[in-house]
Amino acid sequence: MSNIVPKETESGQLQSHQGYRYQLPPEFQPENGSNTHLRDYLRVVLKRKWIVLSVLITVVVFRSIGTFHQIPIYTATAKLQIDAETPNILPYKEVYSQDSSYYRYDDYIQTQVKIIQSRSLAKRVIQVARLDRDPAFVGKVDEKTFRADSPADAELKSQGLVDRFLGGLRATPIKNSTITEISFSSTDPKLAARIVNIVANEYVQQNFEAKYDATNRATDFLQKQLVDLKAKVEKAEEELLRYARSNDIMNVSDKSDVTSQTLGDLNTELTKAQTERINKESFYKGVADATPENFPQALRTAFVRELEESLAKMEQDLARLKAQYGPEWPEVKKLQNQMEKVQSQLRQERLTAIKNARTEYESAVQREKLVSIALENQKGVTHQVTEAGIHYNILKREVETNKQLYDGLLQRMKEAGVSAGLKSSNVRVIDKAEIPSSPSSPGRQTNLLYSVLVGLVAGLALAFFLEYMDNTVKTPEDVEKFVSLPSLGLIPSLESALGRSTRYLPLPGLRRKIPEWRIQQGVELVPYMDSKSLVAEAYRSLRTSILLSSPDNPPKTIMVTSAKAGEGKTTTACNTAASLAQTGARVLLIDCDMRRPNVNKIFGLNGGAGLTEFLTGQREFADVTQQSKIPNLYVVTCGAHPPNPAELLGSTRMAHGIRSLCERFDYILFDTPPVLSVTDALVMAPLMDGVILVIQGAKTPRDVLNKAKKNLLMVNARILGVLINRVDMHSHDYSYYYRDYYDYGSYISGEDKTA
């Protein structure tokens, strides 16, 4: 088997041992999405309804017992109006106040709620109301627990009373209003109302006292600060005067303005000088190499151009006179002398222009240098003036600030002294608490409804959790979705066919009595013994699925196996062989389960020579083939139990024997051991035209079935599909299929009546 390689491709194609490939239909391909329907959830609920009902009843019962045993609790409520700002009858601000521009009202009201529920206010209310001496509040437990008079025990008792007090106190702001409700719960309605009213009064009083104390503390603080601040003002004024005298500062702003103006003017002049120097330098560099003979256009002045024009005219006249009168003509001589003078004058003017360009450039450079030096000197002066002004202004501002602080503190101290004697609060009682006439808890109806809801949710959650944890294969859809194999059908269990508590079929219209042989023998050979039963019809449906698995060339050699033991593969092989024989075809059933053979018992055959004797060469197939009591059905039993079944089944003699049997029989079925238990089935699978994989409904896990499928594909087996055996048709997992069998039962029952 070392040369056997898996033939399953990524696209889901399988290859048989003969090289034949077939593609799983689209409906058998794994689904990428979830197609969960509402009826699937309903099926889970109906399937596990007893779990849901058990959890629901348990929760309701325990909750009801607890509700009816609870002591009635009464809750009294008072309403307070808590404004964001403290009202003030004076025209100036309070020392202790909260500005709404800095504090949001939501934060402020939550702070007040925490104050109402604080331990300090609780201790104050306990002391004012003398709750530590009230038996209705203290109770018998505290009286017995704290008997000692030591300070430690007294402190523990006080903490216990505060915890009990805060446990019954609630403060709740009413949304979109400035009203807050204060409530207290107790077994005594009068005590609850009295405590709430005392809490409201003490909170209002504490709020006022906090402002009053804060104002007094602020006044004392301001008095101490005024003394120190007055000394600082005097010291700052003396230091400012001394600095002004030492630096000859009379008016810092005027001196600073003059210095800054001068610095700005020099900076402007420097910019102009730099611009002029750049222009002169650029011009000079362009004419630096000029000579009277090579005189550039840029240096030509109006006088130079006039001389050049005169010289050009004289040259024209000279040429004309020479041509007319000759070079010795007196007018020609005279004109030549004039031209020499003009040329001399033109040369001199050109030299002067070149010299002027160099002189202007040097002057621009010298002017820029002088302005730059002056600017640097002015910067130093400006820096000195600025530094002196800055230090002077710092000292001056310090004096002014100290004066302002002193005046403000003095004014504030006077205002605080006046406001300390005024009683003004931003909290007032809107409604006092009244004695409650009915208990607030327990709310029996609410508790019962809540327990029903909780029990129902918990029951459903447990039901769906158990369903989620159940990874067994139940329906043909599970086979197609989780294993990607075709489903060959469902076989009802014997218990499902007989009913749970009666020997009569539970389906309407099928009240005939079950034959006695079925009760004693089971479901083996049902197609032969009771052809009109539901189980027989299920095997006929399996027969049809096998024959239609390849319509043009139905499988001739068929191996029946399972993933593990006890799933009904032998029963399936026998009944399938019987169904095929009923079509008139010659069918041979071979018991290849040499470890646990059972075919001979089902057919009532002797345990003589069988497959083992053929494979060991002792007999031929014709010698070990036996005619069963079913027409056209022949059986080869296991025979003796060999020590090496896998080697015998994988031998060459087995392969030759199968080829010879194909010539004598139309269909040959092989009952083999489970795939995951031993290797016998894997050895024979490559020799088969098709393999039927039998599983037990709602018992075989998905991973076990997938592993069996993988092992078969590893040996190049052609899997015809999966048969779900021993299905409980009364289970909600098979409610859809139950209707199909109901239709069949009704139809058969109608035939019997008309007959």
Side-chain angles (χ1 to χ4, degrees):
M1 295 177 60
S2 60
N3 60 343
I4 297 177
V5 295
K7 297 297 182 179
E8 182 181 19
T9 65
E10 294 181 356
S11 61
Q13 290 182 340
L14 307 176
Q15 182 175 348
S16 70
H17 63 283
Q18 298 174 348
Y20 174 75
R21 291 181 181 269
Y22 67 97
Q23 176 72 34
L24 289 175
E27 61 269 19
F28 299 146
Q29 296 295 337
E31 297 183 6
N32 296 327
S34 176
N35 293 325
T36 304
H37 196 273
L38 181 60
R39 61 173 174 266
D40 297 324
Y41 295 107
L42 181 60
R43 177 188 58 79
V44 175
V45 174
L46 294 177
K47 176 184 176 182
R48 305 187 185 274
K49 59 181 178 295
W50 295 115
I51 294 178
V52 177
L53 292 176
S54 299
V55 174
L56 174 60
I57 293 174
T58 301
V59 173
V60 171
V61 169
F62 278 96
R63 184 61 178 173
S64 300
I65 294 174
T67 298
F68 284 100
H69 280 78
Q70 285 183 355
I71 300 175
I73 302 297
Y74 296 87
T75 302
T77 303
K79 293 183 180 180
L80 297 179
Q81 179 180 348
I82 305 176
D83 296 325
E85 296 181 357
T86 303
N88 195 348
I89 62 175
L90 295 178
Y92 44 81
K93 293 183 179 180
E94 291 280 355
V95 175
Y96 180 78
S97 64
Q98 296 201 2
D99 191 351
S100 59
S101 61
Y102 295 95
Y103 299 95
R104 294 185 304 172
Y105 180 74
D106 291 342
D107 298 335
Y108 171 74
I109 199 65
Q110 290 299 326
T111 303
Q112 299 306 309
V113 168
K114 296 298 182 182
I115 293 175
I116 294 173
Q117 297 176 338
S118 64
R119 299 184 70 86
S120 60
L121 183 60
K123 291 179 180 180
R124 179 169 178 163
V125 173
I126 292 173
Q127 184 178 4
V128 171
R130 296 185 179 183
L131 296 179
D132 54 340
R133 301 179 184 179
D134 191 341
F137 178 78
V138 176
K140 297 181 180 180
V141 177
D142 292 329
E143 291 290 343
K144 294 180 179 180
T145 303
F146 304 103
R147 293 180 178 177
D149 295 331
S150 63
D153 290 342
E155 180 63 24
L156 289 176
K157 182 176 181 179
S158 176
Q159 293 179 2
L161 293 176
V162 171
D163 292 338
R164 172 171 292 190
F165 180 87
L166 294 178
L169 182 65
R170 295 290 182 273
T172 306
I174 298 178
K175 194 174 182 180
N176 299 326
S177 69
T178 60
I179 296 177
T180 299
E181 290 185 344
I182 302 177
S183 60
F184 189 85
S185 299
S186 174
T187 56
D188 187 348
K190 295 181 179 179
L191 178 65
R194 187 166 71 93
I195 289 178
V196 169
N197 291 328
I198 294 177
V199 169
N201 294 333
E202 291 303 317
Y203 168 67
V204 173
Q205 183 65 23
Q206 179 178 272
N207 184 64
F208 167 74
E209 290 176 357
K211 295 180 180 180
Y212 183 81
D213 293 341
T215 302
N216 287 336
R217 287 194 299 271
T219 302
D220 296 338
F221 173 78
L222 293 175
Q223 289 177 349
K224 295 178 181 178
Q225 293 296 318
L226 281 174
V227 177
D228 297 338
L229 194 56
K230 183 178 181 181
K232 288 183 180 180
V233 172
E234 295 175 352
K235 183 179 179 181
E237 289 178 344
E238 292 177 358
E239 188 173 350
L240 177 64
L241 183 60
R242 184 170 57 255
Y243 183 81
R245 290 177 179 177
S246 61
N247 289 274
D248 193 20
I249 298 176
M250 299 301 294
N251 193 331
V252 178
S253 60
D254 294 343
K255 187 174 182 180
S256 176
D257 292 342
V258 173
T259 305
S260 300
Q261 182 65 33
T262 303
L263 181 64
D265 295 342
L266 288 175
N267 193 23
T268 303
E269 289 299 323
L270 177 61
T271 302
K272 294 180 179 179
Q274 289 176 343
T275 303
E276 183 180 1
R277 189 265 305 164
I278 292 172
N279 294 333
K280 297 296 183 181
E281 182 179 3
S282 176
F283 180 78
Y284 176 72
K285 287 182 179 181
V287 300
D289 297 332
T291 61
E293 292 75 15
N294 185 20
F295 193 73
Q297 184 67 28
L299 291 177
R300 282 182 170 84
T301 62
F303 186 64
V304 170
R305 286 195 293 271
E306 183 180 352
L307 292 176
E308 289 176 348
E309 292 175 355
S310 299
L311 183 61
K313 185 178 180 181
M314 289 180 179
E315 288 177 351
Q316 293 177 356
D317 294 341
L318 180 62
R320 182 176 53 80
L321 292 175
K322 282 183 177 182
Q324 185 177 2
Y325 301 104
E328 298 298 330
W329 182 254
E331 291 295 332
V332 172
K333 296 290 186 178
K334 181 179 178 180
L335 187 58
Q336 287 178 344
N337 292 333
Q338 291 178 354
M339 286 180 60
E340 290 177 356
K341 291 180 180 180
V342 171
Q343 288 176 347
S344 176
Q345 187 178 5
L346 178 61
R347 178 182 180 81
Q348 187 63 34
E349 287 296 328
R350 287 179 174 177
L351 290 174
T352 302
I354 294 172
K355 182 178 180 181
N356 290 338
R358 181 171 56 252
T359 301
E360 289 178 357
Y361 166 67
E362 293 175 351
S363 298
V365 171
Q366 184 64 22
R367 182 172 181 274
E368 179 187 6
K369 183 177 181 181
L370 294 176
V371 174
S372 178
I373 293 173
L375 179 62
E376 293 298 325
N377 294 334
Q378 186 62 31
K379 285 182 179 180
V381 174
T382 303
H383 289 162
Q384 292 177 357
V385 173
T386 302
E387 290 177 359
I390 291 173
H391 190 67
Y392 178 82
N393 290 330
I394 291 173
L395 295 176
K396 185 177 180 181
R397 281 196 299 271
E398 184 177 359
V399 171
E400 294 174 352
T401 302
N402 289 335
K403 284 184 177 181
Q404 291 177 358
L405 288 175
Y406 179 78
D407 294 339
L409 287 177
L410 182 61
Q411 180 67 22
R412 198 68 175 137
M413 186 185 68
K414 293 179 179 179
E415 294 175 355
V418 176
S419 63
L422 298 176
K423 288 188 177 181
S424 178
S425 176
N426 65 324
V427 182
R428 67 189 184 93
V429 179
I430 301 298
D431 291 330
K432 291 186 177 181
E434 298 179 355
I435 299 175
S437 58
S438 60
S440 58
S441 67
R444 295 180 179 178
Q445 294 182 352
T446 303
N447 287 350
L448 290 178
L449 291 176
Y450 179 74
S451 63
V452 170
L453 178 61
V454 172
L456 186 60
V457 172
L460 291 175
L462 181 59
F464 282 101
F465 175 75
L466 294 176
E467 184 70 16
Y468 171 77
M469 296 299 294
D470 185 5
N471 69 334
T472 59
V473 180
K474 305 176 187 65
T475 63
E477 288 77 9
D478 291 346
V479 174
E480 298 163 4
K481 179 178 181 181
F482 300 110
V483 191
S484 300
L485 286 176
S487 173
L488 298 178
L490 299 171
I491 305 298
S493 64
L494 179 61
E495 295 81 2
S496 176
L498 297 178
R500 289 189 174 88
S501 59
T502 178
R503 292 186 177 183
Y504 294 91
L505 288 175
L507 300 179
L510 293 180
R511 286 297 184 180
R512 61 187 178 85
K513 191 174 181 180
I514 301 301
E516 192 66 25
W517 69 267
R518 290 189 57 189
I519 302 172
Q520 298 175 355
Q521 184 173 352
V523 294
E524 290 81 3
L525 305 181
V526 170
Y528 173 71
M529 304 297 294
D530 190 4
S531 61
K532 292 186 179 182
S533 65
L534 298 181
V535 179
E537 179 62 23
Y539 278 109
R540 284 193 289 271
S541 176
L542 171 61
R543 177 186 67 191
T544 303
S545 299
I546 294 173
L547 297 178
L548 294 180
S549 62
S550 180
D552 298 333
N553 186 20
K556 194 167 188 178
T557 57
I558 303 170
M559 184 181 82
V560 181
T561 186
S562 61
K564 57 182 182 177
E567 294 183 314
K569 62 175 182 59
T570 300
T571 301
T572 300
C574 295
N575 287 332
T576 304
S579 296
L580 290 172
Q582 288 178 343
T583 63
R586 289 173 56 84
V587 181
L588 175 64
L589 174 63
I590 302 177
D591 190 355
C592 297
D593 192 349
M594 297 181 175
R595 304 173 193 270
R596 297 173 61 181
N598 200 30
V599 173
N600 59 328
K601 297 178 182 179
I602 294 175
F603 284 91
L605 302 175
N606 58 49
L611 181 62
T612 302
E613 283 70 21
F614 167 76
L615 294 178
T616 56
Q618 303 176 25
R619 301 286 182 89
E620 295 297 328
F621 259 128
D623 300 330
V624 298
T625 302
Q626 303 181 52
Q627 171 70 49
S628 70
K629 56 187 175 182
I630 301 176
N632 301 322
L633 177 58
Y634 299 85
V635 179
V636 175
T637 61
C638 172
H641 291 241
N644 54 347
E647 287 75 6
L648 291 178
L649 294 175
S651 64
T652 306
R653 185 172 175 80
M654 183 66 181
H656 289 300
I658 293 175
R659 285 197 293 270
S660 65
L661 291 174
C662 289
E663 298 176 358
R664 298 170 49 197
F665 295 94
D666 297 318
Y667 301 101
I668 307 174
L669 276 75
F670 298 85
D671 178 25
T672 61
V675 175
L676 301 181
S677 300
V678 292
T679 60
D680 300 7
L682 299 179
V683 170
M684 293 193 62
L687 306 176
M688 302 292 109
D689 292 337
V691 177
I692 297 175
L693 192 56
V694 181
I695 64 171
Q696 186 173 354
K699 295 293 183 182
T700 304
R702 300 168 192 167
D703 53 348
V704 172
L705 181 56
N706 273 303
K707 187 175 181 180
K709 167 195 169 184
K710 180 180 179 181
N711 290 350
L712 289 172
L713 296 181
M714 287 287 292
V715 298
N716 208 11
R718 179 188 179 190
I719 304 176
L720 298 179
V722 178
L723 176 67
I724 306 177
N725 193 30
R726 296 180 185 173
V727 169
D728 182 8
M729 300 305 296
H730 299 283
S731 173
H732 288 283
D733 290 323
Y734 304 96
S735 57
Y736 175 78
Y737 306 96
Y738 180 85
R739 290 193 298 270
D740 294 340
Y741 283 100
Y742 168 76
D743 294 338
Y744 168 75
S746 301
Y747 182 75
I748 295 299
S749 177
E751 285 185 347
D752 291 342
K753 290 180 180 180
T754 56

